[in-house]
Amino acid sequence: MNQETDFNALARNSGEWLRGTGPESDIVISSRIRLARNLADFPFIRRCSDEDRDSIERTVRARMEAIEDWNDIRYIDIEELSEIDRQFLVERQLISREIADADGSRAVAMDPGEQYSVMINEEDHLRIQVMQSGLDLDAAWARIDSLDDQLEGSILYAFHEKYGYLTACPTNVGTGLRVSVMLHLPALVITRQIEKVFRSMQRINVTVRGLYGEGSQYSGDFYQVSNQVTLGHSEKALLSLVGDEVVPQIIQYERKARAFLVEQNQQDLHDDVSRALGILSTAKKISSEETMHYLSKVRMGVNLGLIDDVELATINKLFIHTQPAHLQKLHGRMLGSSDRNVQRASYLQRHLHGEQGEGEFN
Amino acid sequence: MKCQYCEKPATFHITELTEPNGPKVMHLCEEHARNFLQKEATSPVASVAGALAKQLQLGQTKAELEELDQKECPVCGISFFEFRNTGRLGCPYDYSFFESDLIPLLTNIHDATEHVGKRPRRLAASADSQARMIQLRREMEEAVELEDYERASEIRDELKRMESDLNQPAPEETANGNEDEANSPEGEDQS
Ligand SMILES: [Zn+2]
Ligand SMILES: [Zn+2]
């Protein structure tokens, strides 16, 4: 299939993991599990020749295409993509920044609903990933476990009796499993308790990271919680650490903080989220950071019932679709940053007005 | 008000609610607040380097480390020095070849040295036969380069044979006559 048409269709839709459904979806955006796997008969990526990389890509592709359940799979050759299309896939969280910026043969395969993807020739030969809306690690695990089994049926993995699945970096060896839960924690940020969360993380071997990676806590109040170790614990135990122990605790803190805000200054809060929606739906130029900042407030407003005519799924989608590469794909051409700010504002206006009916914020 | 860690003005006031003891307030400048928040986001290279540094403190001498740095994997050629600098290994065989040097590292990173959890349903290749396959593949590429296609196709057949040996569910045998022959570990002692 033509990659260009494929991408334009992709740009107009959004992944199922953004639906805003699933357990705890007022706070949990998505659950993601990835498995790192390597082929037994090739060196790790760093030591691969160009022929090796080509050969891995061809082998894996052929084997994936032979899997019957996967006949609707979309296979994208990353090496052939333009810079902007790579960025687009990064924004969509289908590929990593590392594989986007790398050289040589590399690819990604995904299902049409974007619930799973397999990166080929990233840091490891295979990075299998499953995304799920809300906090639903059991469903995500069931799916990735079966994908892994199907791949293993025709690909010989590098596996060691004692050390488990062998990976290029010893930080991933063993299960090769990284489970990441994306949380929206605006009330913990507003009430300045987010540090408490970070503190408790340090004790229990999980990692926290800001979603958009800039290191600022004002990038939209999104935090990703993941397991730190991969060896010496079963997959189920790692999932349970994140999904049954750590995340529910953070959810509880965030709920308390939200309740506290509502109770203490409901009027201020209502004013704040309504202004945020007002700015987003009337601005003529708006930067990406500002958009994130206000979308985060609106998202909380929707979840607290202070804004009732915007869908959660719309807000989730706007976070992704207002990023630079998405705007440019949707607009059909390259845009400078000031043009992007104009396009972003108009995109927001169209989507928020479509939802909330006429005139409410004019 | 000044930052708790430096002379700059504190612009972040973070209240920590430690349940039994009541609220505790921290005052930090932007830089220290950011450092604090980012501390957990360590890169693999940093955590490998960190774990190795700890290992050095735990009694490995500088001379020992220098000797270790020169050690090179016979399969992929990576030196321990290169691994130390990049945080990435060169091939699956490195886990066997550098095993005694990696164990303290794994302990530091994972607080464990043994895999618990999922295993491939197929027979896993032994470390030696995995190494042998990587070597054969390299020889095959070289043969193609030298246009020795006969040799290249011999190697390809051997690789296929090795892979089909492993192509069965572990641990029982299937009652298929063809596979008995394939079960003799042909390539295994050659490396
Ligand atoms: Zn400071
Ligand atoms: Zn090696």
Side-chain angles (χ1 to χ4, degrees), chain B residues 3-9 28-33:
Chain B
C3 167
Q4 283 176 228
Y5 299 116
C6 71
E7 293 296 305
K8 283 185 226 151
L28 301 171
C29 70
E30 192 180 345
E31 198 187 327
H32 276 111

PDB file of all heavy atoms in Angstrom, chain B residues 3-9 28-33, ligand 1:
ATOM      1  N   CYS B   3      16.720  29.117  48.134  1.00  0.00           N
ATOM      2  CA  CYS B   3      16.627  27.678  47.879  1.00  0.00           C
ATOM      3  C   CYS B   3      17.341  26.919  49.002  1.00  0.00           C
ATOM      4  O   CYS B   3      18.345  27.374  49.524  1.00  0.00           O
ATOM      5  CB  CYS B   3      17.272  27.366  46.534  1.00  0.00           C
ATOM      6  SG  CYS B   3      17.580  25.639  46.211  1.00  0.00           S
ATOM      7  N   GLN B   4      16.815  25.748  49.331  1.00  0.00           N
ATOM      8  CA  GLN B   4      17.426  24.966  50.403  1.00  0.00           C
ATOM      9  C   GLN B   4      18.824  24.453  50.050  1.00  0.00           C
ATOM     10  O   GLN B   4      19.588  24.084  50.922  1.00  0.00           O
ATOM     11  CB  GLN B   4      16.554  23.740  50.708  1.00  0.00           C
ATOM     12  CG  GLN B   4      15.329  24.082  51.507  1.00  0.00           C
ATOM     13  CD  GLN B   4      14.431  22.874  51.700  1.00  0.00           C
ATOM     14  OE1 GLN B   4      13.242  22.953  51.480  1.00  0.00           O
ATOM     15  NE2 GLN B   4      15.002  21.746  52.114  1.00  0.00           N
ATOM     16  N   TYR B   5      19.113  24.402  48.741  1.00  0.00           N
ATOM     17  CA  TYR B   5      20.379  23.798  48.329  1.00  0.00           C
ATOM     18  C   TYR B   5      21.376  24.783  47.750  1.00  0.00           C
ATOM     19  O   TYR B   5      22.511  24.437  47.497  1.00  0.00           O
ATOM     20  CB  TYR B   5      20.133  22.695  47.300  1.00  0.00           C
ATOM     21  CG  TYR B   5      19.282  21.566  47.822  1.00  0.00           C
ATOM     22  CD1 TYR B   5      18.032  21.298  47.273  1.00  0.00           C
ATOM     23  CD2 TYR B   5      19.737  20.774  48.880  1.00  0.00           C
ATOM     24  CE1 TYR B   5      17.247  20.268  47.762  1.00  0.00           C
ATOM     25  CE2 TYR B   5      18.954  19.746  49.374  1.00  0.00           C
ATOM     26  CZ  TYR B   5      17.709  19.484  48.809  1.00  0.00           C
ATOM     27  OH  TYR B   5      16.940  18.466  49.296  1.00  0.00           O
ATOM     28  N   CYS B   6      20.937  26.036  47.473  1.00  0.00           N
ATOM     29  CA  CYS B   6      21.876  26.992  46.912  1.00  0.00           C
ATOM     30  C   CYS B   6      21.429  28.414  47.252  1.00  0.00           C
ATOM     31  O   CYS B   6      20.474  28.610  47.996  1.00  0.00           O
ATOM     32  CB  CYS B   6      22.009  26.809  45.398  1.00  0.00           C
ATOM     33  SG  CYS B   6      20.564  27.328  44.468  1.00  0.00           S
ATOM     34  N   GLU B   7      22.134  29.401  46.674  1.00  0.00           N
ATOM     35  CA  GLU B   7      21.890  30.797  47.027  1.00  0.00           C
ATOM     36  C   GLU B   7      20.750  31.437  46.229  1.00  0.00           C
ATOM     37  O   GLU B   7      20.348  32.553  46.497  1.00  0.00           O
ATOM     38  CB  GLU B   7      23.178  31.612  46.808  1.00  0.00           C
ATOM     39  CG  GLU B   7      24.312  31.235  47.768  1.00  0.00           C
ATOM     40  CD  GLU B   7      23.944  31.536  49.218  1.00  0.00           C
ATOM     41  OE1 GLU B   7      23.588  32.691  49.506  1.00  0.00           O
ATOM     42  OE2 GLU B   7      23.986  30.604  50.057  1.00  0.00           O
ATOM     43  N   LYS B   8      20.270  30.724  45.221  1.00  0.00           N
ATOM     44  CA  LYS B   8      19.238  31.314  44.366  1.00  0.00           C
ATOM     45  C   LYS B   8      17.895  31.424  45.092  1.00  0.00           C
ATOM     46  O   LYS B   8      17.648  30.695  46.049  1.00  0.00           O
ATOM     47  CB  LYS B   8      19.066  30.469  43.098  1.00  0.00           C
ATOM     48  CG  LYS B   8      20.178  30.700  42.093  1.00  0.00           C
ATOM     49  CD  LYS B   8      19.889  29.943  40.812  1.00  0.00           C
ATOM     50  CE  LYS B   8      21.127  29.200  40.334  1.00  0.00           C
ATOM     51  NZ  LYS B   8      20.820  28.001  39.594  1.00  0.00           N
ATOM     52  N   PRO B   9      17.044  32.351  44.617  1.00  0.00           N
ATOM     53  CA  PRO B   9      15.734  32.463  45.257  1.00  0.00           C
ATOM     54  C   PRO B   9      14.895  31.196  45.045  1.00  0.00           C
ATOM     55  O   PRO B   9      14.939  30.585  43.976  1.00  0.00           O
ATOM     56  CB  PRO B   9      15.077  33.657  44.557  1.00  0.00           C
ATOM     57  CG  PRO B   9      15.867  33.901  43.326  1.00  0.00           C
ATOM     58  CD  PRO B   9      17.239  33.340  43.551  1.00  0.00           C
ATOM     59  N   LEU B  28      12.659  25.318  46.905  1.00  0.00           N
ATOM     60  CA  LEU B  28      13.712  25.023  45.936  1.00  0.00           C
ATOM     61  C   LEU B  28      13.732  26.050  44.809  1.00  0.00           C
ATOM     62  O   LEU B  28      12.690  26.593  44.432  1.00  0.00           O
ATOM     63  CB  LEU B  28      13.492  23.634  45.319  1.00  0.00           C
ATOM     64  CG  LEU B  28      13.449  22.425  46.259  1.00  0.00           C
ATOM     65  CD1 LEU B  28      13.005  21.183  45.499  1.00  0.00           C
ATOM     66  CD2 LEU B  28      14.801  22.204  46.915  1.00  0.00           C
ATOM     67  N   CYS B  29      14.927  26.312  44.288  1.00  0.00           N
ATOM     68  CA  CYS B  29      15.017  27.129  43.081  1.00  0.00           C
ATOM     69  C   CYS B  29      14.554  26.258  41.912  1.00  0.00           C
ATOM     70  O   CYS B  29      14.430  25.038  42.059  1.00  0.00           O
ATOM     71  CB  CYS B  29      16.441  27.622  42.850  1.00  0.00           C
ATOM     72  SG  CYS B  29      17.574  26.306  42.367  1.00  0.00           S
ATOM     73  N   GLU B  30      14.349  26.893  40.767  1.00  0.00           N
ATOM     74  CA  GLU B  30      13.808  26.143  39.632  1.00  0.00           C
ATOM     75  C   GLU B  30      14.733  24.987  39.252  1.00  0.00           C
ATOM     76  O   GLU B  30      14.294  23.872  39.004  1.00  0.00           O
ATOM     77  CB  GLU B  30      13.607  27.086  38.441  1.00  0.00           C
ATOM     78  CG  GLU B  30      12.783  26.403  37.371  1.00  0.00           C
ATOM     79  CD  GLU B  30      12.551  27.273  36.157  1.00  0.00           C
ATOM     80  OE1 GLU B  30      12.784  28.497  36.249  1.00  0.00           O
ATOM     81  OE2 GLU B  30      12.140  26.708  35.138  1.00  0.00           O
ATOM     82  N   GLU B  31      16.036  25.308  39.248  1.00  0.00           N
ATOM     83  CA  GLU B  31      17.001  24.292  38.823  1.00  0.00           C
ATOM     84  C   GLU B  31      16.992  23.083  39.758  1.00  0.00           C
ATOM     85  O   GLU B  31      16.970  21.938  39.302  1.00  0.00           O
ATOM     86  CB  GLU B  31      18.391  24.935  38.802  1.00  0.00           C
ATOM     87  CG  GLU B  31      19.389  24.159  37.981  1.00  0.00           C
ATOM     88  CD  GLU B  31      20.785  24.758  38.138  1.00  0.00           C
ATOM     89  OE1 GLU B  31      20.892  25.997  38.306  1.00  0.00           O
ATOM     90  OE2 GLU B  31      21.737  23.971  38.127  1.00  0.00           O
ATOM     91  N   HIS B  32      17.002  23.339  41.054  1.00  0.00           N
ATOM     92  CA  HIS B  32      17.015  22.219  41.986  1.00  0.00           C
ATOM     93  C   HIS B  32      15.696  21.454  41.994  1.00  0.00           C
ATOM     94  O   HIS B  32      15.690  20.237  42.165  1.00  0.00           O
ATOM     95  CB  HIS B  32      17.402  22.688  43.403  1.00  0.00           C
ATOM     96  CG  HIS B  32      18.882  22.781  43.587  1.00  0.00           C
ATOM     97  ND1 HIS B  32      19.535  23.967  43.725  1.00  0.00           N
ATOM     98  CD2 HIS B  32      19.828  21.805  43.601  1.00  0.00           C
ATOM     99  CE1 HIS B  32      20.839  23.735  43.838  1.00  0.00           C
ATOM    100  NE2 HIS B  32      21.042  22.430  43.768  1.00  0.00           N
ATOM    101  N   ALA B  33      14.619  22.179  41.788  1.00  0.00           N
ATOM    102  CA  ALA B  33      13.326  21.498  41.711  1.00  0.00           C
ATOM    103  C   ALA B  33      13.316  20.573  40.501  1.00  0.00           C
ATOM    104  O   ALA B  33      12.889  19.421  40.581  1.00  0.00           O
ATOM    105  CB  ALA B  33      12.193  22.506  41.612  1.00  0.00           C
TER     106      ALA B  33
HETATM  107 ZN    ZN C   1      18.837  25.751  44.316  1.00  0.00          ZN
END
